Amino acid sequence: MPLRSLVSRLMAEAERANERRMLVLAGDRDRGFDAAYDVIEQVADPPPTGSVEGVTLVTARKGFRYTRVAPAQADKLLGTTQQTLVLDCHEAFSANSLGAVTGVVDGGGLLVLLTPPLDQFPTAFSALVDRVLVPPYAAVDVGNRFRKRLATTLETHPGIAIVDCSNSELQVVRNGLTDPQSAVSKSASHNQDAAQPTHNLIKYSQSPFPDAAFEACLTGDQARAVDRLSRLAAPGNAVVVDADRGRGKSSAAGLAAGALAASGRDVLVTAPAVDNARELLERATELLVKLDAVADDTSPVDSVADVDANDSAADGLSTSAATGDPISTTTGGRLRFLSPADAAADADTVDVLIVDEAAAISVWLLTRFLDAAAVACCTTVHGYEGTGRGFTVRFRDRLTASAHRVTDVSMDEPIRYARGDPIESWLFRTLCLDAAPPASQLVDAATPETVRHQRLDRDALATDEPLLRSVFGLLVSAHYKTEPTDLLRLLDAPNVAVCVLTHDGHVVSVALLAREGGLDRDTRRQIYRGGRVRGNMLPDVLTSQLRDPDAAEPEGYRIMRIATHHAARSRGLGSHLLSCCHRAFGTDVDWFGVGYGATPELLDFWRDNAYRTVHLSTTRNDTSGEHSALMLRPCSQVGRRLTDRHVGWFRDRVGGVLADALSSLDADVVRGALRAAQSSGTDSTGLAITLLTERDWRLLAGVGYGPGTYETSPGVFRTLALAHLFDPRASLSARQERLLVRKVLQCESWESVAMGLDYPSTSQCMREFGTIARRFCERVGDPAGIVADEKRRYDVGDQA
């Protein structure tokens, strides 16, 4: 069958069924590009002479007359619609770019892949090898399981045509035709969409939103979501919207945001990045323009929203959908975008906070969003950049426990293409985007006594689809951001080990361990001089940032991920799995380590498993809003020297850092991090005693038993506060410890501390230092009789 005839039949079938089709041009790269040009010229109407709307090439090559996007920028296509998209897989190919570009092809459209010959996949795609290759391993150590998986799914999945471009005469290897029995024409689908708004207006006539919000909906699912989101007009409501990609979730949220701003609400939008919220902001702006609700003082710049060019209100309007700049409305409302960390800080000042791609934002920040009067969280259930299940499982309890009334809405109906689209199901299958943990009833009886530990053979894992989907699904469900490259790393990274706990044969806990360190002298020198080395996160930070030239020589395992099924949590399974890993690998390495976004709960978990803090990052992660904690657990004398050295350095510097770069770090995170930095065999409080002079003792006793004040002795309190938080011995409450952190270590103002810790007044907050001083005096004793002498001066006697 000639290529032209094949493309015609594929496109006709895709158009008739409102589905997508894929064409794989396998073989020589140049011949593949020539064939791709022929395809573009055939499907474009009229034949293109330059850049064409809806036709894009994703390739590292330059010089094309069509719209070109570099593979590293493929995610920028999210939110766009492409009729024909060509992905060049010969250079700079990644699993992430494959996931990104597949989702933007419209129903009736064609996705074209340029690939090496399929039988060469196991040894091709050097870019995939480079993504998981880490020192001291070589390229031959990288597996090819993902590449085999890719070839197999392309060769066997419906809707995918394969053409051999190895020779000058192209050969159709597989036509990819499915001959759908219940085809729905795209025009019919559009007619149904056009009729939908009338039904929406009848069904949602009681909604506080204007009719225009429902008229803009393309499906009944969208209209239903907009109606549920209208509950945000009343304070105390929370709405959770979840959907697969391509269901119009962001558009529905945007229509709601526009309607709320038009009604006078202050609406704040956030997402991992402003690009992720572009569609939401554009839909909101379009509705505001249609409602003639944009205030005159909104800055005039070019509009980026798809509004009617004849609409005078759009002339010179600053939609700012690309940048998230504020838009004021005629009713006193406002629409704007802020980063997650900034949105959390402003949450209690706005009427409505709408979170797009909430699955990619940490639970810690999501919890802070609940300070808003009304909040909506929109999540992608199956998307290359994150998953809604992890959001649902980990955040649901906190949301339910909040003061908000919670409404859930799921969106299933695709907008770009019909249900059952074969290219969507191929993508889900290939990248495990819809992988899920075992059903809850299969593992809800699991305990440390009923489970079995094993290290998985990755060849066996790659060929056992149910096991692979259970393992990957569990990892996805427990982490705020999982990418297709994580599947590649799971299957093929040479330094990765996969360990699981199974209950009656079902995976209930999983851990990914990455072997790091053991680097040669030249590589260690390169890191020390500021060079970056892939895949050695802990040795890199300890060497380059913390200036330890010997840190990358010892070998260890970093716990990349650890997850327990939500139906079996809080039973010690995570700690049990760690113990199994320690026994299985501890004799082969010098240390175990971990790096993660620090929360009080996680700090306690890792401390309980004998991991010790060696570093707190001084900057927040832009997405999670958390500071990273690095921790080590030694398992050899070499590892113990490394750990003790860095714990000591952390203890030496943390006091100064808390007064500077970490002055806004959550007090409970500080408490947890310092408590996990206890020195081996050292009594921190006893050591602090030796650092206090006679005058220091008199100052402390003066605060505890006399008229002295904190301001006369901040250095004394700083010394004792650090000593106590490293190794709590005094009988201080959690609030008193937070007071030490925020006032003594972070130098926060009295007024702010008193308000933040719920003291009735600033003076009472200040008086609390008298109680703390007495607790310290009681704990450390009176080695020179100075405290007793001071007490006699105030006629306190022997009383506390």
Side-chain angles (χ1 to χ4, degrees):
M1 181 189 304
L3 177 62
R4 188 175 187 85
S5 176
L6 173 63
V7 171
S8 294
R9 294 182 64 183
L10 284 172
M11 296 298 290
E13 187 172 273
E15 177 73 18
R16 186 172 72 250
N18 191 25
E19 297 175 346
R20 288 95 53 80
R21 293 295 182 266
M22 184 189 299
L23 174 63
V24 179
L25 300 175
D28 181 78
R29 188 180 188 186
D30 290 332
R31 290 195 183 98
F33 268 114
D34 290 340
Y37 262 67
D38 292 340
V39 171
I40 293 174
E41 292 178 354
Q42 178 181 346
V43 300
D45 185 24
T49 58
S51 180
V52 179
E53 185 73 21
V55 176
T56 297
L57 275 67
V58 179
T59 176
R61 281 189 174 181
K62 299 179 180 180
F64 297 98
R65 68 176 185 265
Y66 306 115
T67 300
R68 171 193 167 272
V69 174
Q73 302 298 316
D75 60 341
K76 302 299 183 183
L77 291 170
L78 289 173
T80 70
T81 299
Q82 305 295 320
Q83 192 61 28
T84 302
L85 190 141
V86 179
L87 174 62
D88 175 17
C89 303
H90 287 274
E91 182 182 357
F93 173 64
S94 72
N96 285 1
S97 63
L98 179 64
V101 303
T102 303
V104 304
V105 179
D106 199 12
L110 186 66
L111 173 62
V112 181
L113 300 188
L114 308 186
T115 74
L118 268 68
D119 61 0
Q120 296 180 18
F121 271 33
T123 58
F125 300 111
S126 61
L128 292 181
V129 174
D130 291 342
R131 287 185 183 277
V132 296
L133 178 60
V134 301
Y137 297 90
V140 294
D141 298 316
V142 176
N144 57 16
R145 304 170 191 91
F146 179 83
R147 288 171 281 176
K148 290 179 177 178
R149 178 182 184 86
L150 179 60
T152 298
T153 59
L154 288 174
E155 291 173 322
T156 59
H157 201 85
I160 300 175
I162 301 174
V163 175
D164 185 357
C165 300
S166 299
N167 302 306
S168 57
E169 185 174 343
L170 305 184
Q171 180 179 357
V172 176
V173 177
R174 186 169 187 256
N175 63 32
L177 299 171
T178 64
D179 190 22
Q181 297 301 309
S182 55
V184 178
S185 72
K186 194 169 184 179
S187 59
S189 174
H190 283 175
N191 288 337
Q192 290 173 2
D193 289 341
Q196 187 68 49
T198 300
H199 173 71
N200 291 343
L201 294 179
I202 296 172
K203 187 172 182 179
Y204 304 116
S205 59
Q206 301 303 311
S207 171
F209 283 179
D211 291 351
F214 296 100
E215 291 169 352
C217 294
L218 297 179
T219 66
D221 256 2
Q222 262 197 334
R224 185 165 55 90
V226 170
D227 178 63
R228 299 297 188 274
L229 287 163
S230 70
R231 297 180 185 181
L232 299 174
N237 279 291
V239 180
V240 177
V241 183
D242 64 69
D244 288 349
R245 183 158 294 289
R247 270 58 179 176
K249 157 185 60 68
S250 295
S251 292
L255 292 170
L260 290 163
S263 67
R265 269 73 173 186
D266 184 5
V267 180
L268 176 59
V269 175
T270 191
V274 68
D275 285 344
N276 298 118
R278 180 172 180 136
E279 185 174 355
L280 187 160
L281 295 168
E282 287 182 347
R283 298 294 86 75
T285 301
E286 291 172 11
L287 182 61
L288 288 172
V289 170
K290 188 170 185 178
L291 296 173
D292 195 19
V294 179
D296 293 338
D297 60 354
T298 299
S299 303
V301 297
D302 291 339
S303 171
V304 295
D306 184 19
V307 295
D308 188 344
N310 294 322
D311 190 336
S312 60
D315 293 341
L317 171 67
S318 171
T319 66
S320 300
T323 61
D325 290 339
I327 298 174
S328 299
T329 67
T330 55
T331 56
R334 181 170 59 159
L335 173 70
R336 59 192 170 115
F337 176 91
L338 288 177
S339 69
D342 290 339
D346 278 14
D348 61 353
T349 68
V350 301
D351 298 318
V352 180
L353 196 158
I354 299 179
V355 189
D356 205 2
E357 302 301 355
I361 297 175
S362 75
V363 172
W364 181 80
L365 268 181
L366 292 171
T367 303
R368 293 185 62 192
F369 294 158
L370 295 177
D371 290 339
V375 61
C377 292
C378 305
T379 73
T380 300
V381 179
H382 303 134
Y384 91 99
E385 74 287 9
T387 172
R389 283 191 305 275
F391 159 84
T392 301
V393 169
R394 295 177 298 131
F395 183 56
R396 173 59 60 181
D397 289 345
R398 303 191 189 197
L399 184 58
T400 302
S402 74
H404 292 76
R405 296 176 295 275
V406 183
T407 300
D408 294 283
V409 57
S410 296
M411 301 175 64
D412 302 313
E413 189 174 353
I415 288 181
R416 289 178 174 156
Y417 39 80
R419 293 180 187 269
D421 171 71
I423 306 308
E424 181 178 73
S425 61
W426 168 82
L427 186 68
F428 284 6
R429 172 189 172 193
T430 302
L431 301 182
C432 289
L433 293 182
D434 55 351
S440 295
Q441 61 267 29
L442 298 176
V443 298
D444 60 2
T447 67
E449 294 73 31
T450 68
V451 296
R452 173 175 173 262
H453 169 258
Q454 64 181 115
R455 177 179 180 177
L456 296 181
D457 176 270
R458 288 193 288 172
D459 286 332
L461 178 64
T463 57
D464 187 336
E465 191 69 15
L467 177 61
L468 175 62
R469 294 175 69 82
S470 291
V471 169
F472 196 64
L474 189 52
L475 291 169
V476 164
S477 71
H479 199 263
Y480 73 89
K481 186 174 183 181
T482 303
E483 300 175 333
T485 295
D486 292 315
L487 178 62
L488 169 68
R489 187 172 292 109
L490 170 70
L491 292 174
D492 293 327
N495 65 326
V496 168
V498 185
C499 295
V500 298
L501 297 178
T502 58
H503 174 77
D504 291 339
H506 303 288
V507 178
V508 65
S509 294
V510 59
L512 294 189
L513 292 79
R515 189 156 182 152
E516 298 185 346
L519 304 181
D520 60 53
R521 183 188 302 271
D522 289 341
T523 304
R524 298 199 306 270
R525 185 180 294 115
Q526 175 189 346
I527 299 175
Y528 193 77
R529 291 175 176 175
R532 301 304 303 271
V533 175
R534 186 190 296 271
N536 282 265
M537 189 268 279
L538 284 172
D540 189 333
V541 173
L542 300 183
T543 302
S544 63
Q545 294 187 33
L546 303 184
R547 313 309 298 155
D548 183 352
D550 301 319
E553 185 174 5
E555 293 184 75
Y557 275 105
R558 175 170 61 89
I559 313 299
M560 295 173 59
R561 300 271 183 98
I562 184 167
T564 295
H565 197 291
H566 68 274
R569 287 182 182 162
S570 301
R571 301 177 192 172
L573 290 170
S575 294
H576 181 64
L577 179 54
L578 279 178
S579 296
C580 292
C581 293
H582 296 157
R583 289 194 299 269
F585 300 107
T587 58
D588 297 331
V589 293
D590 302 303
W591 53 264
F592 288 90
V594 65
Y596 58 93
T599 65
E601 297 81 7
L602 287 177
L603 285 161
D604 287 346
F605 170 80
W606 290 105
R607 179 175 58 84
D608 289 343
N609 284 282
Y611 286 73
R612 296 159 64 196
T613 312
V614 296
H615 184 54
L616 280 175
S617 67
T618 55
T619 57
R620 293 183 184 271
N621 180 283
D622 287 339
T623 298
S624 71
E626 296 162 350
H627 292 264
S628 294
L630 303 187
M631 305 179 82
L632 292 176
R633 182 186 195 274
C635 48
S636 75
Q637 286 300 323
V638 172
R640 187 164 292 105
R641 287 194 294 271
L642 174 71
T643 303
D644 288 347
R645 184 164 71 244
H646 279 276
V647 170
W649 290 349
F650 173 74
R651 291 164 62 96
D652 289 343
R653 71 175 176 272
V654 71
V657 180
L658 286 170
D660 189 4
L662 294 179
S663 61
S664 62
L665 182 59
D666 180 79
D668 286 337
V669 171
V670 176
R671 293 170 65 219
L674 269 57
R675 191 161 300 178
Q678 184 175 359
S679 292
S680 299
T682 300
D683 181 348
S684 297
T685 308
L687 180 62
I689 295 174
T690 66
L691 300 177
L692 297 185
T693 66
E694 177 181 342
R695 173 163 175 76
D696 291 336
W697 281 110
R698 293 196 183 280
L699 289 171
L700 181 66
V703 176
Y705 302 102
T709 63
Y710 161 78
E711 283 81 357
T712 64
S713 49
V716 176
F717 277 96
R718 176 173 292 270
T719 298
L720 291 172
L722 286 170
H724 169 79
L725 292 169
F726 284 133
D727 185 14
R729 299 293 178 90
S731 300
L732 299 185
S733 67
R735 184 164 77 159
Q736 288 170 334
E737 289 185 350
R738 295 180 188 118
L739 175 58
L740 289 176
V741 171
R742 295 179 64 169
K743 181 58 191 173
V744 178
L745 301 183
Q746 296 179 315
C747 304
E748 192 174 339
S749 71
W750 283 114
E751 292 76 12
S752 176
V753 173
M755 181 178 297
L757 296 180
D758 294 326
Y759 282 95
S761 66
T762 300
S763 59
Q764 185 164 336
C765 178
M766 298 170 74
R767 286 196 296 272
E768 189 77 6
F769 271 91
T771 303
I772 294 173
R774 290 193 294 275
R775 295 287 186 270
F776 279 140
C777 289
E778 293 163 359
R779 165 63 188 92
V780 301
D782 190 8
I786 301 170
V787 173
D789 181 58
E790 283 295 305
K791 291 166 67 175
R792 284 192 295 271
R793 291 172 183 268
Y794 309 128
D795 297 324
V796 176
D798 295 328
Q799 301 181 69

